[in-house]
Amino acid sequence: MCKVVLATQPFLFFNRVFPFSTMNKTSLWLRHRGLILQIVLLSAIWLILSGKTDPIYIFWGVISIAFVIWLSGKLHSIPLSKDEPCGSTRIIIPRLITYLFWLVWQIIKSGVYVAYLVLHPKMPIEPMIVRFTSKQPNVLARVILGNSITLTPGTLTLDIDDNLFTVHALTQEVEEELVSGDMEARVARLYMRECEREDMCCDIELITSGRGR
Amino acid sequence: MSFLQDALAILLVLGGTFFMLVGSIGINRLPDFFTRAHASGKVDTLGILMFLSGLAVFEGFTLTSAKLLLIIVFVAFTSPVAAHALARRALLYGMKPWYGNRKNEG
Amino acid sequence: MQTFFITIALVLCIALLIPFYRVYKGPTVFDRLLGAAAVGAKILTLILLFGLMFDRLDMFIDISLGYAILNFVGVIAMAKYFRSSARAAK
């Protein structure tokens, strides 16, 4: 899929120069990918929730899908923070799928880990607050990273302010794993072709006692 | 096949119940709000996900299990967001986290 | 199978009652909210279990979908509310 995207770059340029050219099958996909995915997802949700295939239900479904897409099209022009529009870069879909599988594995691991900590008779927890800066490519990547930090073992996102993440970690090992930058690089790779894991997590600050703040 | 399906469903439902029980215990046992948010946001999420997937396996390929899948996806995305929203509000409200009984604390 | 489900429902009821202690006792209001959210999560699964017991899962599933959405929106609305009250206190 990535190779396909790379290979069709000249076609995209070609299409921009000649908008009515005939070879726009792939570039139609590239340009309106978000819209097509939205239509497919919304119709799947409508079909699952209604569960009927009569023409009248399909008719109302088409009308409501069109209404929702019109509304969310308006939503895209609203800046999320500091005039940054949402979704300026394209997500790489195959990486998103592998990332989702990795996330499911992380959910299982984190549930088992915290359950072990809770059921341990001495409860070996050393809570601390970690602050670090992670330069994610856009706003949506920050949201994904915040949500995945909460789902990975022993860490909970407290605050995201621009690039500064404030994270509550339960134990020392968990904090070391977070600071290694593995997950940050994973999230950034959803949008960028390549990135180094050392760049993604810098300016680390640990708060381990009440006097720090 | 049906036996295998039932066995898998029972296993998932039992696991989900166990994790939800542990989540409830954790909410009572952990020392401060932020650590309790861990228990609520992770252990409970895993419990609900296992329980619902167990029910979906029990149902088989029907419209009901598709709806169950929808609820699973919804819970998986919103439960950490709820825990995060509460924890962020508590931090901005000025709540101090509990840092444990460290040896170097003086 | 029926007895298995009834046993599971009993265990879930116990898991539902434990966070009520936190709702009653909780030192801060956020602890109470967290306990209430945990109770809501268990009620979601109990609804589905009752649907399976009464063999009307197709009806109960829509209720539980609505319940999941209401639980989430309730917690988010509460968090929003406390932001405004904290600002008013400053």
Side-chain angles (χ1 to χ4, degrees):
Chain A
M1 187 63 199
C2 309
K3 282 171 189 167
V4 172
V5 171
L6 275 178
T8 49
Q9 286 296 334
F11 286 177
L12 204 67
F13 176 71
F14 185 73
N15 239 29
R16 233 170 249 159
V17 178
F18 307 105
F20 300 109
S21 72
T22 48
M23 39 193 333
N24 58 355
K25 200 171 178 185
T26 47
S27 71
L28 188 78
W29 162 248
L30 276 180
R31 207 181 285 168
H32 299 293
R33 198 183 65 174
L35 193 68
I36 295 169
L37 283 181
Q38 215 173 5
I39 290 174
V40 169
L41 274 179
L42 284 176
S43 8
I45 288 176
W46 176 271
L47 284 179
I48 287 173
L49 282 185
S50 80
K52 294 191 171 97
T53 49
D54 301 351
I56 184 73
Y57 290 103
I58 302 286
F59 172 71
W60 287 115
V62 167
I63 284 184
S64 42
I65 287 171
F67 180 66
V68 168
I69 283 174
W70 176 72
L71 271 186
S72 64
K74 293 229 153 193
L75 206 70
H76 263 283
S77 55
I78 299 173
L80 283 181
S81 66
K82 291 179 186 165
D83 299 333
E84 262 181 297
C86 158
S88 51
T89 346
R90 286 162 186 282
I91 201 161
I92 304 168
I93 289 181
R95 285 186 187 173
L96 180 67
I97 293 168
T98 48
Y99 181 77
L100 283 180
F101 278 109
W102 179 77
L103 202 61
V104 170
W105 171 236
Q106 290 294 317
I107 291 175
I108 296 170
K109 243 171 66 178
S110 75
V112 172
Y113 183 72
V114 180
Y116 160 75
L117 285 184
V118 167
L119 288 183
H120 197 283
K122 282 182 188 165
M123 245 187 346
I125 57 172
E126 291 183 345
M128 61 181 77
I129 286 182
V130 190
R131 280 193 178 147
F132 63 91
T133 313
S134 180
K135 289 199 177 68
Q136 294 294 329
N138 58 25
V139 184
L140 208 55
R142 269 179 239 148
V143 175
I144 296 175
L145 179 59
N147 211 339
S148 348
I149 284 175
T150 306
L151 284 176
T152 44
T155 48
L156 179 76
T157 317
L158 292 185
D159 199 4
I160 305 173
D161 187 12
D162 217 8
N163 277 329
L164 179 71
F165 286 75
T166 311
V167 177
H168 188 268
L170 269 184
T171 58
Q172 190 86 38
E173 317 148 33
V174 157
E175 175 264 324
E176 277 160 14
E177 198 182 326
L178 175 74
V179 157
S180 72
D182 181 34
M183 183 168 49
E184 289 86 348
R186 264 177 202 273
V187 174
R189 276 195 214 108
L190 289 177
Y191 284 93
M192 301 194 287
R193 294 262 162 250
E194 56 199 16
C195 67
E196 293 297 315
R197 91 208 301 236
E198 281 77 20
D199 300 341
M200 294 319 295
C201 187
C202 42
D203 301 340
I204 299 151
E205 183 193 353
L206 288 185
I207 304 170
T208 53
S209 69
R211 290 167 297 163
R213 295 179 71 235
Chain B
M1 182 58 207
S2 178
F3 170 73
L4 247 170
Q5 197 180 356
D6 279 4
L8 187 62
I10 286 174
L11 216 65
L12 281 171
V13 166
L14 275 180
T17 316
F18 170 74
F19 276 112
M20 268 189 281
L21 198 62
V22 171
S24 299
I25 294 171
I27 283 178
N28 269 343
R29 200 166 170 230
L30 286 167
D32 85 321
F33 170 74
F34 293 100
T35 45
R36 277 173 211 145
H38 279 276
S40 155
K42 296 195 188 72
V43 188
D44 264 5
T45 311
L46 181 65
I48 295 174
L49 292 191
M50 281 178 82
F51 197 96
L52 294 193
S53 30
L55 291 194
V57 168
F58 186 73
E59 273 292 304
F61 274 109
T62 53
L63 189 71
T64 316
S65 61
K67 280 183 187 172
L68 272 172
L69 206 68
L70 206 67
I71 300 181
I72 288 174
V73 171
F74 183 81
V75 168
F77 279 109
T78 56
S79 169
V81 174
H84 159 70
L86 272 182
R88 176 167 187 265
R89 201 47 70 203
L91 188 77
L92 295 189
Y93 205 70
M95 189 186 282
K96 294 265 185 279
W98 180 83
Y99 291 109
N101 308 314
R102 281 164 207 273
K103 281 165 193 163
N104 56 1
E105 208 173 23
Chain C
M1 211 63 189
Q2 202 74 10
T3 45
F4 170 72
F5 283 137
I6 289 171
T7 323
I8 290 289
L10 279 177
V11 176
L12 272 181
C13 282
I14 296 169
L16 180 117
L17 287 176
I18 295 173
F20 268 118
Y21 177 71
R22 188 50 69 190
V23 176
Y24 170 70
K25 177 107 184 303
T28 64
V29 82
F30 295 103
D31 289 295
R32 291 170 209 264
L33 274 180
L34 203 67
V39 169
K42 271 108 199 169
I43 286 178
L44 170 74
T45 51
L46 261 182
I47 290 173
L48 283 173
L49 201 61
F50 282 137
L52 207 61
M53 270 190 220
F54 296 138
D55 218 7
R56 287 299 305 272
L57 196 54
D58 50 343
M59 188 178 80
F60 279 82
I61 201 142
D62 293 332
I63 301 172
S64 69
L65 187 57
Y67 200 89
I69 292 171
L70 271 183
N71 201 14
F72 173 62
V73 172
V75 170
I76 295 289
M78 282 295 177
K80 278 277 177 197
Y81 166 74
F82 280 107
R83 175 176 71 178
S84 52
S85 76
R87 260 188 200 160
K90 266 177 193 176

